[in-house]
Amino acid sequence: MAQITVSDDILANIKDQVVLITGGSSGIGRATAQLCLDLGARVVIGDLNPPNPEFKDTDKAHYLEVNVTSWESLRNMFDQADKLFGGIDHVFANAGVGPTTDFLDINLNEAGELEPPSLRTINVNLLGPLYTINMAQAYMKQLASRRPMKTGSIVLTASASSFQNFSAGDYTIAKHGVLGMVRGLVHKLGTEGIIRLNAVAPSWTQTGMIPADYIRSMGVPVQSPEAVARSVVLLFADETRHGEVIYSSEGNFWEVNKSEGGLLHMTKTLLFDDDILEGVMRNMNEQAAQS
């Protein structure tokens, strides 16, 4: 796999661009917002909860309340972001919650009948990014003529649990789905050439979702959200990156999806030629659209 060095020079490309971040009030989202502001970008922070009291709306930064599981709430955020800054160049679909259920729990109502499992984590961590991608690409295509860079970008928050066994039930299921979003959409977006789609896959990172001190006491390293933020902004700033997944651990970065020795490289030894399969799928989609 290819280890990546994130240089300050490439990050500087986002100066004066507009970045919209869901889940931007804390953790990785808040660290990414601050890095973007430090680099001269304009930032919209979308979250159910406002940032800490030190955050103030300015001509460069604005907080908007959003529920990523609500289409109307997302649309309102994108509308307001466009009105505030006259366009959207990059979107970080980062809003997320921790595990809720492993889907094996048995829940009974008062009558002793089986109740369905909670879909809270699936709705936020899987449906939320899907809604955000669909909304983002629609707005960004419409506003492409205002964009200083040739391409805009969408970055998703995946996880190391996107490609490993991890006993976190619905969280792991959703994060595998985020990796599937990159793989399921990368060809069409690449053909259109307007929007790039990538993901970050952090290992243990100090956010409000994990007991960082306990994890460290078990001998497991925990990185800062500021480290992950650098990988996010790299994917905004580098127009050559599309269909990539950057794994981070202890502030070190590797591209694990497309690179030599990465996940897709390993599957090529097992599967029929994926370029041919992709062509077959595209032809099937075209025929279905015409029927």
Side-chain angles (χ1 to χ4, degrees), residues 21-190:
I21 301 171
T22 66
S25 287
S26 62
I28 294 168
R30 184 68 185 91
T32 303
Q34 189 59 56
L35 179 57
C36 290
L37 288 169
D38 292 344
L39 291 164
R42 292 168 289 170
V43 177
V44 174
I45 292 175
D47 206 302
L48 270 177
N49 304 304
N52 59 44
E54 292 137 26
F55 176 86
K56 305 294 181 188
D57 284 348
T58 68
D59 61 343
K60 292 285 189 179
H62 203 85
Y63 163 73
L64 297 172
E65 182 177 338
V66 68
N67 176 357
V68 296
T69 69
S70 164
W71 185 256
E72 291 75 17
S73 181
L74 264 178
R75 184 173 57 204
N76 181 60
M77 179 186 66
F78 273 83
D79 280 343
Q80 290 189 61
D82 180 31
K83 290 173 183 174
L84 281 166
F85 293 129
I88 300 166
D89 299 302
H90 306 285
V91 173
F92 184 23
N94 171 68
V97 296
T100 303
T101 178
D102 63 6
F103 287 112
L104 301 176
D105 296 332
I106 296 174
N107 302 301
L108 302 177
N109 61 22
E110 292 180 356
E113 300 167 325
L114 280 171
E115 289 282 282
S118 170
L119 295 179
R120 170 179 174 265
T121 297
I122 295 296
N123 286 337
V124 176
N125 294 7
L126 188 63
L127 182 64
L130 283 170
Y131 273 4
T132 304
I133 290 170
N134 187 276
M135 187 78 68
Q137 59 90 32
Y139 273 77
M140 293 166 75
K141 287 174 183 175
Q142 177 185 348
L143 303 173
S145 61
R146 306 185 209 168
R147 186 176 302 123
M149 295 176 72
K150 179 183 176 183
T151 60
S153 72
I154 302 168
V155 177
L156 311 177
T157 298
S159 164
S161 66
S162 296
F163 40 79
Q164 68 181 72
N165 291 339
F166 193 68
S167 297
D170 49 7
Y171 182 87
T172 301
I173 292 166
K175 291 303 183 181
H176 271 70
V178 172
L179 178 59
M181 294 175 204
V182 174
R183 293 176 172 179
L185 302 174
V186 64
H187 280 283
K188 184 172 182 180
L189 288 173

Side-chain angles (χ1 to χ4, degrees), residues 226-240:
E226 288 76 17
V228 183
R230 290 182 67 81
S231 64
V232 178
V233 178
L234 172 68
L235 293 171
F236 292 158
D238 187 344
E239 291 197 275
T240 68

